[in-house]
Amino acid sequence: MKRSLIRSMATGLVAAAAALAATTGAQAQSWWKPGVATTWQWQLSGTLNTGYNVAVYDIDLFDTSAQTIAQLKAQGRKVLCYFSAGSSENWRADFNRFNAADMGNALDGWEGEKWLDTRSANVRAVMLSRLDLAVSKGCDGVEPDNVDGYTNGTGFPLTAATQLDYNKYLANAAHGRGLAIALKNDVDQLAQLEPYFDMAVNEQCNQYDECGGYTVFTSKNKPVFNAEYASKYRKNTNGARDKLCTKMRAAKIRTLVLPLDLNDAYRYSCD
């Protein structure tokens, strides 16, 4: 009698756990894992150019329709969906979900954006909803931006430890939903976070002499997607772009020279 009761209770607990997993997306066990040679295109504004012969498109989660994502996937592309995980953007559809206390200092040079308190349970709940949106739109993975707030003047007492906790939280939540996830910048924590992330996206590691740390990704056959904005690379001043591409190919870093607005005004690929 007692064994039957215990068995019945255990069955109920398993069922409840399964229901919870289905709600949170935590039941997923597999996701896309790109290789180090994966090619890419990055465009976050303007009319999306779907004509590049690359393996991955990195596009805006909110501004790209499910139909466009389906079109890219029908062409054999994988789709990485961008959103800011460390800042509020006052033009986003879910902006009103942030509490006043969640938002800190403005991001220098980016109108309408404020740093978020990534320790906030409410902020984390908003990010889970964004991951769910990525799933519903058919994204293969996500690129959460501004995940290095602790190195900036956010207005909050964020630390290296709180940043690691938040970034691991995002990675685990993405994987639980069957999504791959890219680590954006946060170059001081590459070694600690590599095990949790499937790829990396970097801006200007050549400009700031920070590319060397990405061997922790490339040595594990994980791609590093790099964008450079300096005019010398665009203009190929004194062969700057040629030298850049030679260096990046040797480092197995997938490098593009792009406009800062990421609007496809021009594109030079080292692949």
Side-chain angles (χ1 to χ4, degrees):
M1 184 69 173
K2 288 182 180 179
R3 289 179 183 175
S4 298
L5 179 59
I6 291 171
R7 189 181 302 114
S8 176
M9 290 175 64
T11 301
L13 287 172
V14 169
L20 178 61
T23 301
T24 62
Q27 79 281 11
Q29 296 298 320
S30 63
W31 55 88
W32 164 54
K33 298 177 179 68
V36 71
T38 302
T39 56
W40 76 310
Q41 164 61 357
W42 197 18
Q43 184 179 347
L44 300 183
S45 64
T47 301
L48 185 65
N49 181 346
T50 61
Y52 292 109
N53 184 23
V54 296
V56 176
Y57 263 77
D58 189 345
I59 48 85
D60 189 273
L61 170 63
F62 290 93
D63 294 343
T64 310
S65 68
Q67 290 75 17
T68 298
I69 292 172
Q71 175 190 347
L72 288 168
K73 294 176 74 169
Q75 294 172 355
R77 320 292 183 215
K78 293 293 186 181
V79 178
L80 197 60
C81 292
Y82 167 98
F83 64 92
S84 181
S87 70
S88 63
E89 300 162 308
N90 64 11
W91 62 91
R92 297 300 191 185
D94 62 358
F95 172 73
N96 63 358
R97 289 191 58 187
F98 294 115
N99 299 322
D102 293 332
M103 296 180 283
N105 294 335
L107 273 71
D108 186 31
W110 299 96
E111 186 176 354
E113 284 194 65
K114 291 185 177 181
W115 288 104
L116 290 170
D117 185 351
T118 52
R119 303 165 302 165
S120 160
N122 183 61
V123 167
R124 295 184 179 210
V126 173
M127 298 309 152
L128 294 186
S129 294
R130 290 183 176 186
L131 292 174
D132 290 338
L133 178 62
V135 171
S136 71
K137 283 193 166 186
C139 307
D140 296 292
V142 289
E143 183 218 329
D145 198 5
N146 298 308
V147 293
D148 53 2
Y150 81 103
T151 66
N152 293 270
T154 62
F156 301 110
L158 304 181
T159 66
T162 65
Q163 193 70 67
L164 285 172
D165 178 73
Y166 184 59
N167 293 359
K168 291 176 184 179
Y169 173 84
L170 292 173
N172 290 333
H175 289 158
R177 288 161 171 75
L179 294 167
I181 186 169
L183 177 61
K184 179 66 167 291
N185 297 323
D186 196 14
V187 294
D188 293 332
Q189 298 185 324
L190 294 175
Q192 292 158 289
L193 290 172
E194 174 275 321
Y196 297 87
F197 287 80
D198 307 292
M199 66 201 96
V201 175
N202 170 272
E203 293 172 292
Q204 299 178 281
C205 71
N206 286 276
Q207 188 75 11
Y208 298 111
D209 194 24
E210 296 173 336
C211 298
Y214 283 97
T215 57
V216 298
F217 276 81
T218 57
S219 65
K220 300 289 182 62
N221 195 38
K222 295 180 180 182
V224 177
F225 301 126
N226 164 242
E228 298 289 337
Y229 307 127
S231 62
K232 66 180 179 180
Y233 298 132
R234 178 188 179 187
K235 298 174 182 177
N236 202 22
T237 306
N238 297 321
R241 187 171 70 245
D242 297 335
K243 295 171 186 175
L244 166 74
C245 288
T246 298
K247 177 183 176 183
M248 290 296 93
R249 283 192 290 265
K252 299 181 180 179
I253 294 177
R254 311 270 69 86
T255 297
L256 302 176
V257 176
L258 300 171
L260 184 60
D261 289 339
L262 298 175
N263 59 5
D264 196 47
Y266 59 85
R267 177 184 188 269
Y268 299 97
S269 173
C270 289
D271 288 313

